[in-house]
Amino acid sequence: MPNLQIVWFKKDLRVHDHAPLKRASLRGPVLPLYVFEPDLWCEPDMSGRQFDFLCECVSDLQRELANLGQPLVIRTGRVIEVLESLSKSLEIGGLWSHEETGNAWTFERDKQVAAWCKAHGLPWTEIPQTGVIRRLGSRDKWASTWDRFMSLAPIEAPQLGSLDQVPPGDIPARSEMLPAPDHCPDRQRGGRTRALDTLQSFLFERGKHYRAAMATPVKAFDSCSRLSPHLAFGTLSMREVAQAVWDRQKELHDSQFPGQKTWQGAMRSFSGRLHWHCHFMQKLEDEPELEFRNLHRAYDGLRPEAPDQERLGAWQNGETGLPFVDACMRALRATGWMNFRMRAMLTAVASYHLWLDWRAPGLHLARLFTDYEPGIHWPQIQMQSGTTGINTIRIYNPVKQGLDQDPSGCFVRQWVPELKDIDPEFIHEPWKADNAGTVLGRTYPFPVVDHLSAAREARNRVWAVRGGHAFRNEASSIQTKHGSRRSGIRMRGQRTTRKKTTAAPSAQQPDLFGNPHEDA
């Protein structure tokens, strides 16, 4: 079949607003392809919960493509080997896909695919699907470019001709890809249908108190959008979400009803965070080594590269003896999701109180997040660990966070049942309870560190690095390359002689994490 166009689906598991699919259909018959890659699922940031979500998305995509006329073709193996096999029986005219800002493994994989295409004289057309700009020269006017991209009309799905001679293939079992179990009983389910339902329920039912509720895990599970895994796997495009939010804002502006102002505030906050989704992905796109090394090299060697296994294990298992920290970790393990503030707190406790280098905790969290998005995850891990050189150092007090975000202790009691006999007054500081001796060291551990003294020591160590011209010069270069142009807030600890400076993000800006638009 001459001019056969292969559309390689990656993290864009939809047919609507899919530019490669549409453009390929104008060039010739389309073979829609998804490749399950065993080597990818051996990477230390991959997990079973992510794989299960992916399979649900692929299953939905199968139905959508079949309705268009050509079912999805599924293969398992290395992409270049799959392409090689297809090229022996089919006359391929071109390869199409969306651009991807993934982990280091996918980056290297894409370079291998590019080399294979070049060697075979096969054009590979990659098209942006978010506001991330490949080979970006400057951050100037980045936000306005994002707005223009998101305002374009979504692309309609094309009708496809059937390729009867190509067997569709099957979705592999998880045991074939990931032998290790990953128990996540309350994980979100994947697929386009669920993505649309989630978007609708957030915009018209659950999202009213988003602005106030997103900070606390007591309310965030219901009030946050929960769209993050769907954006990570591309069952919805960012443009579809942005335009749905803008339509909702217009509807709210043109109507009057009780609670309208609360809804308007929620939609304003959420709309702003959509920009920050792509803002953080742009950082990893511009500097892939962020996944492995400190953004500001002055922090190299600050923490031991080999983690303290006892402290790391306590943190990973939700057994630090700090109840609110442990409750958040256990909830994340069971659900695959956590709101931003608590993600930031978990990272800060690992980095500051437990003094662990960010790489090992970052990998653990990556595996736990169903919505793991490398382009957001690694810049945020570094930001919350204080190694960017341009962001305010945030050392969360885990006891204060518990008192602020879970004042009644209901969240802690749900996830740390070992504390059921502790008086509610001391649920966040059980070591102060009269009956502490009957619980601590028996059914629940003593704190692995004194959180106040550990925070004080960490603060002194981190701030000691930030002095001197060499530090400030490198920080200035980092800000120029990666910093927001909307901040206007000077980096703390940086001396300036002019009023007008290009400044670094600060605590007054939104922070995003995981798949961030919803959880600042």
Side-chain angles (χ1 to χ4, degrees):
M1 184 174 291
N3 297 319
L4 178 68
Q5 308 296 312
I6 294 181
V7 177
W8 176 22
F9 287 86
K10 296 159 82 174
K11 298 186 77 174
D12 50 354
L13 303 177
R14 62 183 185 276
V15 299
H16 299 276
D17 200 25
H18 198 291
L21 182 64
K22 178 69 172 181
R23 288 176 56 180
S25 71
L26 300 176
R27 296 290 185 93
V30 170
L31 188 156
L33 174 69
Y34 188 85
V35 182
F36 284 90
E37 303 166 273
D39 290 346
L40 172 61
W41 293 98
C42 291
E43 288 296 294
D45 51 347
M46 298 287 103
S47 66
R49 63 193 62 193
Q50 298 160 6
F51 185 80
D52 291 343
F53 190 93
L54 164 67
C55 290
E56 291 157 0
C57 296
V58 171
S59 181
D60 250 21
L61 181 61
Q62 284 180 305
R63 289 190 291 271
E64 289 185 304
L65 284 164
N67 290 336
L68 296 179
Q70 168 56 46
L72 181 67
V73 173
I74 297 174
R75 297 291 184 266
T76 299
R78 297 178 65 211
V79 174
I80 55 175
E81 292 175 353
V82 170
L83 293 173
E84 185 71 38
S85 176
L86 290 171
S87 70
K88 291 178 179 178
S89 58
L90 301 168
E91 186 177 340
I92 302 173
L95 177 66
W96 300 76
S97 72
H98 275 120
E99 294 176 350
E100 180 180 2
T101 303
N103 63 8
W105 189 93
T106 64
F107 183 47
E108 292 301 320
R109 182 270 322 273
D110 284 358
K111 289 195 292 186
Q112 294 170 14
V113 171
W116 183 90
C117 288
K118 183 177 180 180
H120 288 72
L122 183 70
W124 177 18
T125 305
E126 295 183 270
I127 303 172
Q129 73 162 329
T130 67
V132 176
I133 302 170
R134 188 161 286 184
R135 291 177 288 276
L136 179 67
S138 170
R139 277 279 186 157
D140 295 344
K141 300 182 180 179
W142 184 90
S144 59
T145 303
W146 188 96
D147 290 334
R148 286 194 300 272
F149 181 83
M150 296 304 163
S151 65
L152 297 174
I155 299 166
E156 294 184 3
Q159 290 298 309
L160 305 175
S162 177
L163 303 175
D164 295 331
Q165 74 273 37
V166 183
D170 298 311
I171 296 174
R174 179 166 52 141
S175 59
E176 298 176 36
M177 310 291 285
L178 285 151
D182 183 14
H183 186 56
C184 189
D186 300 321
R187 172 184 62 81
Q188 280 184 258
R189 297 308 186 257
R192 171 80 176 183
T193 302
R194 290 188 175 93
L196 292 171
D197 289 344
T198 302
L199 176 61
Q200 185 79 1
S201 68
F202 173 68
L203 294 180
F204 295 94
E205 299 169 22
R206 300 181 292 107
K208 180 178 180 180
H209 299 290
Y210 167 78
R211 176 178 277 182
M214 62 181 167
T216 169
V218 177
K219 300 177 180 179
F221 281 87
D222 291 325
S223 296
C224 284
S225 80
R226 307 304 302 276
L227 292 171
S228 51
H230 294 290
L231 286 171
F233 285 87
T235 55
L236 287 170
S237 74
M238 176 60 74
R239 179 158 43 211
E240 289 181 291
V241 175
Q243 293 190 14
V245 174
W246 296 341
D247 289 344
R248 177 62 168 146
Q249 287 178 297
K250 185 177 185 303
E251 175 187 305
L252 290 166
H253 181 268
D254 295 340
S255 60
Q256 293 287 335
F257 61 91
Q260 175 203 19
K261 296 297 183 184
T262 304
W263 268 111
Q264 286 179 313
M267 292 300 102
R268 278 196 303 272
S269 293
F270 183 73
S271 180
R273 280 156 179 79
L274 295 178
H275 284 82
W276 288 85
H277 168 282
C278 300
H279 166 78
F280 278 97
M281 290 183 67
Q282 186 72 57
K283 294 174 185 285
L284 189 64
E285 176 68 32
D286 292 342
E287 197 153 354
E289 289 186 357
L290 269 172
E291 184 180 348
F292 302 103
R293 67 164 181 82
N294 294 323
L295 180 58
H296 198 302
R297 303 312 297 269
Y299 292 103
D300 291 356
L302 181 64
R303 298 178 175 95
E305 187 172 333
D308 182 314
Q309 291 299 322
E310 184 176 349
R311 289 186 175 190
L312 178 62
W315 178 83
Q316 290 175 325
N317 295 322
E319 297 175 348
T320 66
L322 301 168
F324 192 55
V325 173
D326 294 341
C328 288
M329 182 62 79
R330 296 180 189 188
L332 174 58
R333 289 169 61 182
T335 67
W337 185 88
M338 183 54 61
N339 63 315
F340 160 73
R341 187 181 292 272
M342 278 38 283
R343 297 186 189 209
M345 181 195 69
L346 286 173
T347 303
V349 167
S351 296
Y352 297 116
H353 300 84
L354 305 184
W355 203 242
L356 300 171
D357 183 76
W358 52 266
R359 176 68 181 167
L363 286 171
H364 180 72
L365 291 176
R367 292 188 292 270
L368 293 185
F369 294 152
T370 306
D371 60 10
Y372 170 54
E373 179 69 78
I376 297 167
H377 182 76
W378 294 111
Q380 271 291 326
I381 286 287
Q382 289 218 38
M383 180 174 172
Q384 302 304 333
S385 298
T387 56
T388 67
I390 64 173
N391 297 107
T392 301
I393 295 171
R394 296 176 178 87
I395 303 180
Y396 289 76
N397 181 322
V399 172
K400 183 179 185 301
Q401 287 298 309
L403 293 170
D404 290 346
Q405 309 304 336
D406 183 29
S408 68
C410 63
F411 182 75
V412 167
R413 290 191 182 281
Q414 177 184 357
W415 294 103
V416 190
E418 304 96 304
L419 299 178
K420 60 184 176 63
D421 295 329
I422 295 293
D423 189 288
E425 181 182 354
F426 302 110
I427 192 66
H428 294 292
E429 299 176 282
W431 49 87
K432 292 183 177 180
D434 290 338
N435 62 335
T438 65
V439 176
L440 301 187
R442 297 173 181 266
T443 59
Y444 186 69
F446 287 99
V448 293
V449 295
D450 178 283
H451 71 93
L452 293 176
S453 60
R456 186 163 51 248
E457 183 177 354
R459 183 178 292 107
N460 291 337
R461 288 181 176 182
V462 173
W463 274 102
V465 176
R466 292 171 75 100
H469 292 293
F471 180 93
R472 290 194 291 272
N473 289 340
E474 184 174 343
S476 179
S477 298
I478 293 170
Q479 169 59 29
T480 299
K481 183 173 183 178
H482 295 290
S484 168
R485 298 302 188 259
R486 291 186 170 185
S487 86
I489 301 167
R490 183 166 61 87
M491 181 182 70
R492 294 185 182 183
Q494 177 179 333
R495 300 186 183 116
T496 61
T497 56
R498 300 179 181 178
K499 277 191 174 181
K500 294 183 179 180
T501 61
T502 301
S506 84
Q508 299 180 44
Q509 294 179 297
D511 286 308
L512 305 174
F513 203 111
N515 212 330
H517 54 276
E518 62 184 356
D519 313 350

